[in-house]
Amino acid sequence: GTVCGAVFVIFAALVAMGYLTASDRVVAQVSLDLWRSSFKPIAVLIEDFGNVDAGFVAFVILTGFVWWNGPRRAIPALFVVPAGVVVEALFKHLLFHPGPDLPFNHGEPVSLIETLLGNTATDFVGNSFPSGHMTRTVVIYGMVVFLMGRYGVPLTLRKWSMRAFLALVTVMAIDRIYLGVHWESDVIGGLLLGGCLLAVGTLIFDSLVPERA
């Protein structure tokens, strides 16, 4: 977790200093050249799996699952999900890195929670690094795969869930860039942050519920 955190902070510093601006623009231009408006409904559907609403629902379901199946002392490990939202918001507030504008940005729907928060959340966040969708996708579905292993789900099903997880992460990364709502560097930052939080969550879980040999 510490090493991952250090890599994320270093990468964020490189983004802030503009070292990835050129590559961000190149990738965004390639994406724009490939853009087809007929694909937008599919792209919007994909983003639903990683928005703030999905994060809230997943946190409630995962917490309820651990509460019901036990041991309840492991529940703090799941707080990496809301923690991801907080860390993402802080970096977007502190690190000046405006998101893609026209003609790259094709827009996306505002989530229910973001609608309820209104301009307060938008004004506080302001920037686009790191991608919250990527962060939540890695943390939420990564924790699902991890918990499947800890709760004795058959190996074959766990293998398929891991493949599905990796596929979703890949598709979400492409989706963020294709919709033009994030730069390439935002997506990489979200992957790193999500990976760090997932590592922390699994370490906390293992410390609270040591795995039997």
Side-chain angles (χ1 to χ4, degrees):
T2 303
V3 174
C4 183
V7 172
F8 171 72
V9 171
I10 292 172
F11 185 79
L14 293 175
V15 171
M17 290 185 286
Y19 285 105
L20 283 90
T21 301
S23 62
D24 281 344
R25 290 276 173 179
V26 170
V27 173
Q29 185 59 57
V30 171
S31 177
L32 181 62
D33 292 341
L34 296 173
W35 173 255
R36 299 293 183 272
S37 58
S38 57
F39 292 159
K40 184 172 182 178
I42 299 175
V44 169
L45 178 63
I46 292 170
E47 73 90 23
D48 286 340
F49 287 91
N51 64 20
V52 180
D53 297 345
F56 175 77
V57 172
F59 176 66
V60 171
I61 293 175
L62 289 175
T63 302
F65 175 83
V66 175
W67 179 274
W68 182 263
N69 292 278
R72 294 177 180 177
R73 64 180 181 276
I75 288 177
L78 303 177
F79 277 82
V80 292
V81 176
V85 177
V86 174
V87 175
E88 169 213 341
L90 287 174
F91 266 89
K92 284 182 175 178
H93 178 69
L94 297 172
L95 194 153
F96 181 74
H97 187 65
D101 49 13
L102 294 174
F104 301 117
N105 194 323
H106 305 292
E108 64 180 343
V110 178
S111 70
L112 176 60
I113 292 177
E114 289 170 331
T115 301
L116 294 175
L117 292 174
N119 292 332
T120 303
T122 304
D123 293 342
F124 179 80
V125 172
N127 297 287
S128 69
F129 180 92
S131 166
H133 280 70
M134 286 309 309
T135 302
R136 285 183 291 276
T137 299
V138 173
V139 174
I140 293 170
Y141 303 107
M143 282 300 293
V144 170
V145 174
F146 170 76
L147 290 175
M148 290 176 72
R150 290 305 306 269
Y151 282 88
V153 173
L155 180 59
T156 301
L157 185 56
R158 294 200 324 257
K159 287 182 177 179
W160 278 107
S161 67
M162 175 59 77
R163 291 168 185 154
F165 167 64
L166 294 175
L168 180 58
V169 169
T170 301
V171 170
M172 187 65 73
I174 296 171
D175 180 81
R176 299 287 80 203
I177 297 172
Y178 190 65
L179 271 176
V181 293
H182 277 295
W183 300 111
E184 164 205 26
S185 57
D186 302 332
V187 171
I188 297 174
L191 283 168
L192 290 173
L193 178 57
C196 293
L197 291 168
L198 178 59
V200 169
T202 57
L203 287 172
I204 293 175
F205 192 101
D206 284 339
S207 67
L208 296 173
V209 189
E211 189 171 9
R212 296 177 181 176

